[in-house]
Amino acid sequence: MDKDLSLTDRLRENRIFLNRIAVSVFVMGLAILGLVIRLVYLQVVGHGYYSTLSNDNRVKVAALPPQRGIIVDRNGEVLASNFPTRSLELIPEQISDIKKTLADLQTLLNLGDDEIQRFNSTRTRHKPFESIPLREQLTDEEIARISVRLPHYPGVSIRTRSLRVYPYSGLTAHAIGYVGRISEADMQELDASVYSGTYHIGKSGVEKTYESVLHGKTGYEEMETNVQGRSINVIGRRDSVAGADLQLSLDIRLQKIAYDALGEYNGSVVAIEPSTGQVLAMVSKPSFDPNLFVQGIKRADFENLQLSPDRPLYNRASRGIYPPGSTIKPFMALTALDSGQMTASQRVHCPGFFRLPNSEHKYRDWNKQGHGSVDMKLAITQSCDVYFYSLALQMGIDRIHNYLTRFGFGQKSGIDLDSEKAALLPSQEWKRKKRKQPWFAGETVITGIGQGYFQATPLQIARAVAILANKGKVITPRVVAGIKTPLVYDPPFPLPRQEIIPISEANWRTVVSAMIDVIHSSRGTAKSIAHGLDYQIAGKTGTAQVFTVQQNQNYKSMHVTEKLKDHAWFVAFAPADNPQIAIAVIAENGGHGGSVAAPIARLVFDAYLHGAKQ
């Protein structure tokens, strides 16, 4: 009985053991099969995806922003350059709690709320692995303060970058412009690959119009990184290519003389080389410090500039619109001669006022006693308004419009700067379209002395004077004279085909002779600047009204505030027999052009012509 029981137990144990082995083998088989399937999936099916993911984790590509090209004047004086600076930067993907990190850094470095907002705004426009500046141009004290804390802030580092600087500050602000941080609106128009790693872009002036050549070509660096994302090795690199250096036609010495010569007056001075169209000086006063904009201007500073009644941000040279006043008279005389509407010897009697037929309204001359009988030469020399009232009426507004258009009035000059205004040269068609009104004869009369709807910029008038100095050779103003670069660029502003205004030599001679008398004759309106001249100037004074004087009012007896005084104009070229420089000067509310604007031009002429001889 005991023997049978023992045999049964052994058989049962063997069977249990075999069953367990079978189950174990089955489970192991399933596990091995699962591993094989997973291995096949990773190595075959998902190979492409996982190999790319692996490389991305191992290799980071960092942009190498190019060095922005420098800008010099015609004599090599540096007007815009770069300087190295240390900036505090953050790589968002390496920071676990970016809000806390920003809060800590704000306290540590006393950062303003606007700096934090600017960083957050910039961060949204860049990839999370890019290094984004939080504060540029760190001081030594700030570098020391943050350096000891850097180990506690992964993803935060101090880097070297270059920043733009304008050594002549406001003296060149309107011509050269400035760079500023790339905004969201800028990003909509920029090629992100070209501007990867770049945080500044030209915002105005030469900096904006020549942005494509100043910026350069972005390079890149491939870096092997560890699991914490820190670079451990550079495995590939393509160097960036610096932007082009620009040589301007501006003469910074002349620019300063012109700016200082304006003295207490707001206004503009534009000087052009007639033979080439190169701009020698382009002043708009008052001005501003463009360096304030490079890192992002503070709100208070910007509001001060915007709210200033003198409008320092406004470029008076290319955007300032003024009645041209009597500076238009030489051009009116040329069009009258060329169209045969009046001869040079034809005389007009000036009693001190002009009346249209069957009208009692008086169009006054600046000389209440009148100039008597004047021919064209004397009318220009003494700036007789009545003569040009009569001439304008005889020509008609549409003929005036068509002729003056040839000299560039009422249209942009085509200068290589942004935001130029076309101003206005009126015509009957313009008034019908814009005002829905007919043209009146009285409006033609005042157009003849550069008033009424007629408006022009100092740049337009300087260009017109240069064309007159060239005896009809049309020029297009240029601020950039040369581009130095190893890269191949299409010229951003190619010169248009040259044109010649066909006017006879005799007619040019008549008008230029009268303009010489404006300075060098005893009856000229700018004779005060003739003393000591060793060259001849051909010029014309101008006085532009900023408000209308009623028939029963006497301008001189009125109590006129400073802002309602006339603008003082002077346009000229010199030497008269071999023009090397043409100029337009406006002194806002300066009064008479001969006593205020002409002396400013004389200082610029002397500086340029005497300097050119040395």
Side-chain angles (χ1 to χ4, degrees):
M1 184 66 183
D2 291 340
K3 185 177 178 180
D4 293 341
L5 183 61
S6 173
L7 180 61
T8 303
D9 289 343
R10 282 201 297 276
L11 289 172
R12 185 182 299 160
E13 287 176 355
N14 286 339
R15 191 164 51 250
I16 292 172
F17 178 72
L18 289 173
N19 287 341
R20 286 177 175 172
I21 288 177
V23 170
S24 298
V25 169
F26 180 73
V27 171
M28 289 175 64
L30 283 177
I32 291 171
L33 181 61
L35 286 172
V36 169
I37 292 173
R38 180 64 177 166
L39 185 61
V40 169
Y41 174 78
L42 291 175
Q43 293 296 323
V44 179
V45 179
H47 176 268
Y49 172 76
Y50 287 105
S51 65
T52 301
L53 193 63
S54 174
N55 284 333
D56 279 352
N57 285 335
R58 187 173 59 88
V59 179
K60 296 290 187 189
V61 179
L64 298 175
Q67 187 83 351
R68 194 172 181 84
I70 65 171
I71 301 173
V72 301
D73 82 340
R74 66 191 297 117
N75 300 311
E77 285 290 323
V78 175
L79 307 180
S81 63
N82 311 298
F83 72 100
T85 181
R86 308 299 293 276
S87 66
L88 180 65
E89 303 196 3
L90 281 67
I91 302 177
E93 74 167 10
Q94 296 179 12
I95 302 172
S96 58
D97 188 345
I98 198 161
K99 283 187 178 179
K100 181 178 184 307
T101 300
L102 286 173
D104 290 351
L105 294 175
Q106 185 173 19
T107 303
L108 185 63
L109 296 178
N110 194 27
L111 300 173
D113 290 340
D114 55 341
E115 289 177 279
I116 301 296
Q117 290 173 2
R118 190 166 55 230
F119 172 84
N120 286 325
S121 175
T122 304
R123 181 161 67 97
T124 61
R125 300 193 297 269
H126 291 267
K127 295 176 179 175
F129 58 79
E130 290 187 61
S131 184
I132 299 172
L134 175 59
R135 168 171 280 188
E136 294 169 309
Q137 207 172 351
L138 292 168
T139 64
D140 291 341
E141 182 188 345
E142 288 171 337
I143 292 173
R145 204 183 307 159
I146 190 64
S147 293
V148 297
R149 302 287 188 91
L150 278 181
H152 302 290
Y153 295 108
V156 179
S157 62
I158 296 174
R159 294 194 174 197
T160 300
R161 285 188 181 267
S162 64
L163 275 183
R164 204 63 158 170
V165 62
Y166 303 99
Y168 287 95
S169 188
L171 197 56
T172 58
H174 288 289
I176 295 178
Y178 57 86
V179 300
R181 285 175 176 261
I182 295 174
S183 67
E184 194 164 344
D186 294 329
M187 288 296 291
Q188 303 300 320
E189 300 179 357
L190 295 178
D191 183 339
S193 62
V194 173
Y195 281 85
S196 179
T198 299
Y199 293 94
H200 297 85
I201 189 174
K203 296 285 188 178
S204 69
V206 169
E207 291 277 28
K208 180 178 180 180
T209 52
Y210 284 85
E211 171 64 31
S212 60
V213 294
L214 281 168
H215 176 263
K217 197 170 183 180
T218 302
Y220 67 85
E221 195 173 61
E222 289 182 328
M223 294 177 295
E224 187 177 11
T225 59
N226 60 19
V227 292
Q228 285 79 35
R230 296 187 183 280
S231 62
I232 56 177
N233 189 26
V234 176
I235 60 176
R237 181 184 177 93
R238 188 185 72 185
D239 290 332
S240 59
V241 180
D245 295 337
L246 301 184
Q247 182 163 35
L248 306 191
S249 58
L250 291 181
D251 181 335
I252 193 62
R253 182 184 66 97
L254 201 66
Q255 182 89 353
K256 185 173 189 316
I257 288 169
Y259 192 92
D260 292 344
L262 276 168
E264 63 184 5
Y265 294 106
N266 294 339
S268 175
V269 179
V270 179
I272 294 177
E273 187 178 63
S275 60
T276 62
Q278 292 188 357
V279 178
L280 303 170
M282 190 172 185
V283 166
S284 178
K285 186 176 184 179
S287 189
F288 61 94
D289 182 2
N291 294 296
L292 293 174
F293 288 84
V294 174
Q295 298 180 61
I297 188 169
K298 294 178 180 175
R299 184 184 299 273
D301 291 335
F302 188 63
E303 287 179 351
N304 285 338
L305 290 173
Q306 271 204 318
L307 298 177
S308 169
D310 290 328
R311 305 173 68 191
L313 294 176
Y314 191 60
N315 186 347
R316 289 165 162 79
S318 62
R319 294 178 58 78
I321 291 177
Y322 308 90
S326 296
T327 63
I328 207 67
K329 290 174 180 173
F331 303 97
M332 290 289 296
L334 275 171
T335 57
L337 291 172
D338 188 58
S339 64
Q341 292 298 309
M342 192 171 280
T343 64
S345 59
Q346 194 171 337
R347 305 186 79 84
V348 171
H349 179 68
C350 170
F353 62 88
F354 177 83
R355 279 198 179 111
L356 286 168
N358 306 317
S359 172
E360 291 299 313
H361 183 90
K362 287 184 178 179
Y363 296 89
R364 289 182 261 206
D365 194 281
W366 67 268
N367 183 353
K368 286 193 295 185
Q369 282 69 45
H371 298 275
S373 177
V374 294
D375 61 8
M376 181 175 286
K377 189 173 181 182
L378 192 57
I380 293 175
T381 303
Q382 294 196 314
S383 199
C384 175
D385 292 331
V386 170
Y387 180 92
F388 286 95
Y389 290 147
S390 175
L391 185 152
L393 189 63
Q394 193 168 328
M395 289 184 64
I397 187 60
D398 286 341
R399 186 178 282 113
I400 293 171
H401 176 273
N402 293 339
Y403 266 91
L404 294 190
T405 298
R406 298 179 177 189
F407 290 91
F409 291 103
Q411 54 196 295
K412 295 181 179 180
S413 70
I415 194 173
D416 49 343
L417 292 176
D418 67 308
S419 304
E420 180 187 7
K421 283 192 174 178
L424 176 61
L425 176 60
S427 65
Q428 291 194 65
E429 182 183 4
W430 166 81
K431 195 177 179 191
R432 274 197 306 271
K433 285 184 176 177
K434 297 296 183 182
R435 299 294 180 95
K436 313 295 182 190
Q437 294 175 350
W439 185 267
F440 298 108
E443 294 166 337
T444 301
V445 170
I446 58 176
T447 300
I449 63 164
Q451 294 285 168
Y453 295 117
F454 199 172
Q455 295 175 331
T457 68
L459 175 62
Q460 275 181 346
I461 295 183
R463 182 192 182 214
V465 173
I467 295 171
L468 197 157
N470 284 338
K471 295 184 178 178
K473 188 182 89 172
V474 176
I475 51 93
T476 302
R478 286 286 178 269
V479 173
V480 173
I483 301 175
K484 299 177 181 177
T485 173
L487 300 177
V488 177
Y489 290 107
D490 291 329
F493 297 94
L495 286 170
R497 193 176 65 179
Q498 201 170 79
E499 298 176 26
I500 301 289
I501 301 174
I503 294 178
S504 74
E505 176 64 27
N507 291 341
W508 290 116
R509 197 164 47 242
T510 297
V511 172
V512 171
S513 174
M515 292 175 71
I516 292 172
D517 280 355
V518 169
I519 291 90
H520 297 277
S521 79
S522 59
R523 305 177 73 175
T525 52
K527 62 185 179 184
S528 63
I529 66 168
H531 180 71
L533 274 175
D534 56 0
Y535 56 90
Q536 278 193 325
I537 297 174
K540 182 70 192 76
T541 55
T543 303
Q545 291 181 346
V546 297
F547 75 104
T548 302
V549 181
Q550 301 301 318
Q551 287 285 291
N552 59 350
Q553 290 179 311
N554 187 332
Y555 178 81
K556 289 186 176 179
S557 64
M558 293 173 60
H559 178 67
V560 179
T561 65
E562 198 66 28
K563 289 295 181 184
L564 289 180
K565 289 183 178 176
D566 296 338
H567 296 323
W569 277 106
F570 186 67
V571 299
F573 59 88
D577 58 347
N578 179 28
Q580 297 173 34
I581 177 173
I583 194 169
V585 177
I586 182 168
E588 290 182 359
N589 312 116
H592 189 254
S595 58
V596 174
I600 295 170
R602 165 75 191 270
L603 289 173
V604 176
F605 281 144
D606 281 352
Y608 186 71
L609 296 175
H610 291 160
K613 291 177 181 176
Q614 292 174 355

